[in-house]
Amino acid sequence: MMRAEIAPDLLLPLQRGLLGWYIANGRDLPWRRTTDPYAVLVSEILLQQTQVATVLPVYATFLARWPTFAALAAAPLDAVKAVTDPLGYHVRGTWLHRIAGIVTAECDGQLPDTLEGLLALPGIGRYTAGAVLSFAFQQDAPIVDTNVDRLVSRLFNLRAGRPPVALRERRLWALAAALIPPGHGYLFNQALMDFGAQICTPYKPICLFCPLRPHCQWWTPRPDTGVVYSTDNA
């Protein structure tokens, strides 16, 4: 596993800038009002490759109809897919139904709270596992979605020199982990996603009003990145 160590004079301003911005500007979303692992997982599966505004009514309908893993496991798959398939990416209803069956039959109705346990379930990749660990179980687990990828890649100029994709991905995840203030992963990961969605946008990012601009290497490239990478092969 690759690890990243960010110099304190860079790390602290980034953490404070992101958290300060999020406290003032973070989005109020229904799945952020709960730490119920089931509700968090449902939101994350529904949000895959789908815009927030599109997911909101489906999320409410889904939880009203099947409020627990047991209720979902007992439901006909066709009924579940009738709710989720209009979002596109039609496999998500199947994944949720299969996960509910496994959790109910093999996990005493409790979603696993470890990375390995979550990754063993259908449809859960590294991002979804990290989101569940962070938002449901309050762990300082890194997450990298499209918005976080773009933001962190710009902050640290990860695409400079066109590194191999695998190396860039390892650095990206290492930085996402190193950025989290200990004990604050729940808020900080939400801040990363919202900042990427609202400020560090794909096109015409709002750089002139960005509180992170003085520390962004995409805005002002510099030879000393302030980051040291190491690999733990144990």
Side-chain angles (χ1 to χ4, degrees):
M1 177 184 295
M2 178 175 284
R3 302 181 185 277
E5 183 176 346
I6 305 172
D9 60 347
L10 174 60
L11 177 61
L12 293 178
L14 291 176
Q15 291 173 333
R16 291 169 180 163
L18 279 164
L19 284 175
W21 177 88
Y22 178 73
I23 290 170
N25 302 283
R27 293 175 290 184
D28 180 21
L29 301 170
W31 41 85
R32 292 182 177 174
R33 303 174 203 150
T34 180
T35 56
D36 174 27
Y38 175 72
V40 171
L41 176 66
V42 168
S43 72
E44 292 300 335
I45 296 291
L46 296 182
L47 285 164
Q48 290 181 7
Q49 302 185 30
T50 310
Q51 294 183 347
V52 167
T54 304
V55 168
L56 285 169
V58 177
Y59 174 77
T61 298
F62 195 100
L63 289 186
R65 191 167 298 180
W66 306 293
T68 64
F69 281 116
L72 180 58
L77 176 58
D78 288 348
V80 176
K81 287 177 65 63
V83 173
T84 60
D85 279 5
L87 292 173
Y89 198 43
H90 294 172
V91 71
R92 75 182 89 212
T94 302
W95 282 342
L96 282 167
H97 194 260
R98 289 176 60 195
I99 291 170
I102 294 170
V103 169
T104 302
E106 302 177 18
C107 305
D108 294 324
Q110 302 298 314
L111 192 66
D113 62 357
T114 65
L115 179 62
E116 295 76 13
L118 289 167
L119 290 176
L121 295 172
I124 297 185
R126 191 170 179 185
Y127 163 77
T128 301
V132 171
L133 292 174
S134 178
F135 304 144
F137 296 113
Q138 308 287 295
Q139 297 182 26
D140 290 338
I143 61 170
V144 176
D145 69 353
T146 301
N147 292 316
V148 175
D149 184 335
R150 181 173 58 257
L151 172 58
V152 174
S153 292
R154 285 175 175 170
L155 284 174
F156 296 95
N157 207 14
L158 290 184
R159 299 183 187 276
R162 297 185 178 181
V165 172
L167 176 60
R168 193 189 75 84
E169 286 291 313
R170 292 171 66 202
R171 289 176 174 174
L172 176 63
W173 278 95
L175 287 165
L179 280 166
I180 299 173
H184 296 283
Y186 178 84
L187 282 179
F188 193 79
N189 283 331
Q190 292 176 9
L192 283 173
M193 292 191 296
D194 276 13
F195 197 91
Q198 298 181 60
I199 301 296
C200 196
T201 54
Y203 307 103
K204 297 182 180 180
I206 311 174
C207 296
L208 291 178
F209 298 97
C210 174
L212 309 183
R213 186 179 62 173
H215 315 287
C216 178
Q217 296 173 35
W218 189 63
W219 179 262
T220 306
R222 48 190 178 274
D224 181 7
T225 64
V227 180
V228 175
Y229 297 101
S230 61
T231 303
D232 180 7
N233 293 318

